[in-house]
Amino acid sequence: MSEGLPEDIDWLRAVKSGLVLEGVLPLVDLPRLREALYGRVEGMLCYSIAFERDQAGRALIRGRLSTALRLECQRCLGPMAQPVDVELMVVLVTAESSLEALPEEYDPLVVEGGSVRLRDLIEDELLLAIPLVPRHPLGQCADPGLAEGDLSSRDGARPNPFAVLAGWRRHPSN
C-alpha cells in the first residue's frame, strides 16, 4: 500500500506489482470539478485505487471514491450537499480496436503511452456522479414555497404569464 497520489503512473508496472493507493485529496486540487461546485470549494475526497488483472488477464483499475460535493440546488438555487460514493472499475486498453471485445461491465480507458493520469480519471468519475439536475429532497429547500414543490405560485398572487395567449385564439368564422 502506498500513500499519496502521483501525478502520472506507469500503469504496466503498477498492474504487475498490484499497486494499491489509498488516501485523501482536497477537492480544490481538481480544477474541472471546482467549476461545477457551488461557492467556496471545501472538502476532501477519500480514494482507494488498486491496479490488477482480471481472470482474462486484462489490466484493471478498481477503486472507490467517497466525498460530499457542494452543488447548487436547481429548485431553490441554494447550496446543497450531494454525497458521492463511486465504485471505480476501468479496463486499460491500448487500442480502440479492442473496445468491442470487452464485456459490458467494464468501462474502457484508452491509454496512449505508458502512463495514466489518475487525477484526471478521478475527476472524470466525480463529474459523472453529479446529478443532471441537483435538487434538495422535497421539503428541504430554504424557500418554503419551493419546498412544497409548488413552482406555479408561491403566494397565490402571481398572474399566469400565458393568460394573454387566450385572447389570441381564433374563433371559427360563420
Side-chain angles (χ1 to χ4, degrees):
M1 183 163 71
S2 174
E3 290 296 322
L5 188 65
E7 193 67 29
D8 290 312
I9 192 159
D10 182 336
W11 66 272
L12 283 170
R13 194 177 327 191
V15 168
K16 190 174 185 176
S17 68
L19 180 65
V20 175
L21 299 168
E22 293 180 338
V24 293
L25 180 67
L27 293 176
V28 73
D29 288 353
L30 303 170
R32 290 181 296 136
L33 180 66
R34 268 195 327 251
E35 293 176 20
L37 299 180
Y38 182 87
R40 192 175 77 227
V41 178
E42 299 174 334
M44 302 295 275
L45 164 75
C46 295
Y47 65 87
S48 174
I49 298 173
F51 290 82
E52 58 189 48
R53 292 209 180 265
D54 68 0
Q55 293 175 350
R58 292 180 282 253
L60 300 176
I61 299 176
R62 286 186 198 256
R64 181 168 293 283
L65 309 173
S66 300
T67 190
L69 301 176
R70 186 175 170 167
L71 304 175
E72 182 178 35
C73 172
Q74 296 303 296
R75 189 176 282 136
C76 70
L77 301 179
M80 63 171 279
Q82 175 71 44
V84 174
D85 189 23
V86 177
E87 195 166 318
L88 175 69
M89 185 167 77
V90 296
V91 62
L92 301 163
V93 294
T94 56
E96 291 189 26
S97 61
S98 58
L99 295 177
E100 294 176 11
L102 292 177
E104 281 187 35
E105 65 267 12
Y106 288 137
D107 287 329
L109 177 62
V110 179
V111 290
E112 296 176 5
S115 66
V116 172
R117 295 186 53 90
L118 287 178
R119 282 183 199 248
D120 290 348
L121 176 62
I122 288 171
E123 198 168 20
D124 290 345
E125 291 296 323
L126 291 176
L127 287 167
L128 289 171
I130 294 175
L132 186 59
V133 182
R135 293 180 296 202
H136 286 108
L138 282 177
Q140 292 185 10
C141 284
D143 184 335
L146 296 175
E148 298 302 319
D150 183 10
L151 299 177
S152 61
S153 65
R154 290 185 216 165
D155 56 7
R158 183 180 290 173
N160 182 346
F162 298 105
V164 71
L165 297 178
W168 290 9
R169 289 188 193 159
R170 292 186 182 207
H171 296 288
S173 38
N174 294 342

